[in-house]
Amino acid sequence: MTPINANKVLSELHSFVPVRACRPWRVVRRQIWLAGVLILLSFPNAFAQSSDFSTFWKEFKSAVIAGDKAKVAEMTKFPLSMPYSVKAVKNKEDFLRRYNEIFKGEANAAQCFVSAKPRKESAGRYEIYCPFKDTPDDRENAPIRFIFESRKSGWKFTGLDNVNE
């Protein structure tokens, strides 16, 4: 058996200490980077809100144009805000009963949505403006506003308004 040299063992054990002691910022920087990545991954909507809305808008628009009331109701947040002096839409059953009032009342949403361009109002809100159904080609006077907001469950149709009221 060979004898163990204690000095050699101690020098090997402590050989990396000066390297770590001189570069603690690398360890801290890696920890901060990792924490940042984990935080960003926990918020998947942080990067893709616009594209998420684009996908939502295509589905919502298609459902309205097709008259798929059930699909549109799934994409709606209740209570649905309505124009001044009009009662809010309380729930899905109320929505299905009042569907024509919402989408064929003052504006013909199906006709409008074919060429409507969403307007980004903030990071979590888009609006679509439609003209009165009696003047469908008057895009200069489009006071009927359909409001969409980002929620925890994704984008939802949250309100209808007549900006002239």
Side-chain angles (χ1 to χ4, degrees), residues 34-56:
L34 181 59
V37 168
L38 291 174
I39 289 169
L40 289 174
L41 288 174
S42 68
F43 296 106
N45 291 348
F47 295 113
Q49 277 202 340
S50 293
S51 64
D52 283 350
F53 180 78
S54 177
T55 301
F56 168 85

Short mmCIF file of all heavy atoms in Angstrom, two decimals, residues 34-56:
data_model
loop_
_atom_site.label_atom_id
_atom_site.label_comp_id
_atom_site.label_asym_id
_atom_site.label_seq_id
_atom_site.Cartn_x
_atom_site.Cartn_y
_atom_site.Cartn_z
N LEU A 34 -31.67 31.88 -15.34
CA LEU A 34 -32.57 30.74 -15.20
C LEU A 34 -33.90 31.18 -14.59
O LEU A 34 -34.97 30.80 -15.07
CB LEU A 34 -31.93 29.64 -14.34
CG LEU A 34 -32.76 28.38 -14.13
CD1 LEU A 34 -33.08 27.73 -15.47
CD2 LEU A 34 -32.02 27.41 -13.23
N ALA A 35 -33.85 32.02 -13.58
CA ALA A 35 -35.09 32.52 -12.96
C ALA A 35 -35.90 33.32 -13.97
O ALA A 35 -37.13 33.17 -14.05
CB ALA A 35 -34.76 33.38 -11.74
N GLY A 36 -35.24 34.14 -14.77
CA GLY A 36 -35.94 34.92 -15.80
C GLY A 36 -36.62 34.04 -16.83
O GLY A 36 -37.77 34.26 -17.20
N VAL A 37 -35.93 33.03 -17.28
CA VAL A 37 -36.51 32.09 -18.25
C VAL A 37 -37.72 31.38 -17.66
O VAL A 37 -38.77 31.26 -18.30
CB VAL A 37 -35.45 31.06 -18.74
CG1 VAL A 37 -36.09 29.93 -19.51
CG2 VAL A 37 -34.40 31.76 -19.59
N LEU A 38 -37.60 30.94 -16.43
CA LEU A 38 -38.72 30.25 -15.78
C LEU A 38 -39.92 31.18 -15.62
O LEU A 38 -41.07 30.76 -15.81
CB LEU A 38 -38.29 29.69 -14.42
CG LEU A 38 -37.29 28.52 -14.49
CD1 LEU A 38 -36.81 28.14 -13.10
CD2 LEU A 38 -37.90 27.33 -15.19
N ILE A 39 -39.68 32.42 -15.27
CA ILE A 39 -40.78 33.39 -15.14
C ILE A 39 -41.46 33.60 -16.49
O ILE A 39 -42.69 33.58 -16.58
CB ILE A 39 -40.26 34.73 -14.56
CG1 ILE A 39 -39.92 34.54 -13.08
CG2 ILE A 39 -41.30 35.84 -14.73
CD1 ILE A 39 -39.17 35.69 -12.46
N LEU A 40 -40.69 33.80 -17.53
CA LEU A 40 -41.27 34.02 -18.86
C LEU A 40 -42.04 32.80 -19.35
O LEU A 40 -43.09 32.94 -19.98
CB LEU A 40 -40.18 34.40 -19.87
CG LEU A 40 -39.59 35.79 -19.66
CD1 LEU A 40 -38.42 36.00 -20.62
CD2 LEU A 40 -40.63 36.87 -19.84
N LEU A 41 -41.55 31.62 -19.05
CA LEU A 41 -42.25 30.40 -19.46
C LEU A 41 -43.57 30.23 -18.71
O LEU A 41 -44.49 29.59 -19.21
CB LEU A 41 -41.37 29.17 -19.25
CG LEU A 41 -40.20 29.04 -20.22
CD1 LEU A 41 -39.32 27.86 -19.84
CD2 LEU A 41 -40.68 28.90 -21.65
N SER A 42 -43.67 30.81 -17.54
CA SER A 42 -44.91 30.69 -16.79
C SER A 42 -45.99 31.63 -17.31
O SER A 42 -47.15 31.53 -16.94
CB SER A 42 -44.67 30.93 -15.29
OG SER A 42 -44.34 32.28 -15.07
N PHE A 43 -45.62 32.55 -18.19
CA PHE A 43 -46.57 33.47 -18.81
C PHE A 43 -46.54 33.29 -20.33
O PHE A 43 -45.94 34.10 -21.03
CB PHE A 43 -46.24 34.93 -18.47
CG PHE A 43 -46.36 35.24 -17.03
CD1 PHE A 43 -45.24 35.41 -16.25
CD2 PHE A 43 -47.61 35.36 -16.43
CE1 PHE A 43 -45.35 35.71 -14.90
CE2 PHE A 43 -47.72 35.66 -15.09
CZ PHE A 43 -46.60 35.83 -14.32
N PRO A 44 -47.18 32.26 -20.86
CA PRO A 44 -47.08 32.00 -22.30
C PRO A 44 -47.68 33.11 -23.14
O PRO A 44 -47.30 33.30 -24.28
CB PRO A 44 -47.85 30.69 -22.47
CG PRO A 44 -48.72 30.58 -21.28
CD PRO A 44 -48.01 31.29 -20.17
N ASN A 45 -48.62 33.89 -22.61
CA ASN A 45 -49.24 34.95 -23.40
C ASN A 45 -48.35 36.18 -23.54
O ASN A 45 -48.63 37.06 -24.32
CB ASN A 45 -50.56 35.38 -22.76
CG ASN A 45 -51.61 34.32 -22.87
OD1 ASN A 45 -51.44 33.36 -23.60
ND2 ASN A 45 -52.69 34.48 -22.15
N ALA A 46 -47.27 36.26 -22.77
CA ALA A 46 -46.43 37.44 -22.80
C ALA A 46 -45.84 37.71 -24.18
O ALA A 46 -45.66 38.85 -24.57
CB ALA A 46 -45.29 37.29 -21.79
N PHE A 47 -45.54 36.66 -24.95
CA PHE A 47 -44.93 36.84 -26.25
C PHE A 47 -45.93 36.87 -27.39
O PHE A 47 -45.68 37.47 -28.40
CB PHE A 47 -43.93 35.72 -26.54
CG PHE A 47 -42.76 35.72 -25.62
CD1 PHE A 47 -42.58 34.70 -24.72
CD2 PHE A 47 -41.86 36.75 -25.66
CE1 PHE A 47 -41.50 34.70 -23.87
CE2 PHE A 47 -40.78 36.76 -24.82
CZ PHE A 47 -40.59 35.74 -23.92
N ALA A 48 -47.04 36.21 -27.24
CA ALA A 48 -47.89 35.95 -28.39
C ALA A 48 -49.28 36.56 -28.31
O ALA A 48 -50.20 36.05 -28.91
CB ALA A 48 -48.00 34.45 -28.59
N GLN A 49 -49.45 37.68 -27.60
CA GLN A 49 -50.79 38.22 -27.48
C GLN A 49 -51.36 38.63 -28.84
O GLN A 49 -52.51 38.37 -29.12
CB GLN A 49 -50.81 39.41 -26.52
CG GLN A 49 -50.90 38.96 -25.10
CD GLN A 49 -51.44 40.02 -24.20
OE1 GLN A 49 -51.43 41.20 -24.52
NE2 GLN A 49 -51.93 39.61 -23.07
N SER A 50 -50.58 39.28 -29.65
CA SER A 50 -51.09 39.71 -30.94
C SER A 50 -51.44 38.53 -31.83
O SER A 50 -52.49 38.49 -32.44
CB SER A 50 -50.08 40.61 -31.65
OG SER A 50 -49.95 41.82 -30.94
N SER A 51 -50.54 37.55 -31.91
CA SER A 51 -50.84 36.40 -32.75
C SER A 51 -51.97 35.57 -32.14
O SER A 51 -52.76 35.00 -32.86
CB SER A 51 -49.59 35.55 -32.96
OG SER A 51 -49.15 35.00 -31.74
N ASP A 52 -52.05 35.54 -30.80
CA ASP A 52 -53.17 34.84 -30.18
C ASP A 52 -54.47 35.53 -30.56
O ASP A 52 -55.46 34.86 -30.82
CB ASP A 52 -53.04 34.84 -28.65
CG ASP A 52 -52.02 33.83 -28.15
OD1 ASP A 52 -51.57 33.01 -28.96
OD2 ASP A 52 -51.71 33.88 -26.96
N PHE A 53 -54.48 36.85 -30.59
CA PHE A 53 -55.71 37.54 -30.97
C PHE A 53 -56.03 37.26 -32.43
O PHE A 53 -57.19 37.06 -32.78
CB PHE A 53 -55.65 39.06 -30.74
CG PHE A 53 -56.94 39.71 -31.14
CD1 PHE A 53 -58.05 39.64 -30.31
CD2 PHE A 53 -57.08 40.32 -32.38
CE1 PHE A 53 -59.27 40.18 -30.69
CE2 PHE A 53 -58.30 40.86 -32.77
CZ PHE A 53 -59.39 40.79 -31.92
N SER A 54 -55.02 37.23 -33.26
CA SER A 54 -55.24 36.96 -34.68
C SER A 54 -55.93 35.60 -34.86
O SER A 54 -56.89 35.48 -35.63
CB SER A 54 -53.91 36.98 -35.42
OG SER A 54 -54.08 36.65 -36.76
N THR A 55 -55.48 34.61 -34.14
CA THR A 55 -56.09 33.28 -34.20
C THR A 55 -57.52 33.33 -33.67
O THR A 55 -58.44 32.79 -34.27
CB THR A 55 -55.26 32.27 -33.39
OG1 THR A 55 -53.94 32.24 -33.93
CG2 THR A 55 -55.86 30.89 -33.43
N PHE A 56 -57.68 33.99 -32.51
CA PHE A 56 -59.01 34.13 -31.92
C PHE A 56 -59.94 34.85 -32.89
O PHE A 56 -61.07 34.43 -33.11
CB PHE A 56 -58.93 34.93 -30.60
CG PHE A 56 -60.27 35.37 -30.09
CD1 PHE A 56 -61.04 34.51 -29.32
CD2 PHE A 56 -60.77 36.63 -30.38
CE1 PHE A 56 -62.29 34.91 -28.86
CE2 PHE A 56 -62.01 37.03 -29.93
CZ PHE A 56 -62.78 36.17 -29.17
#
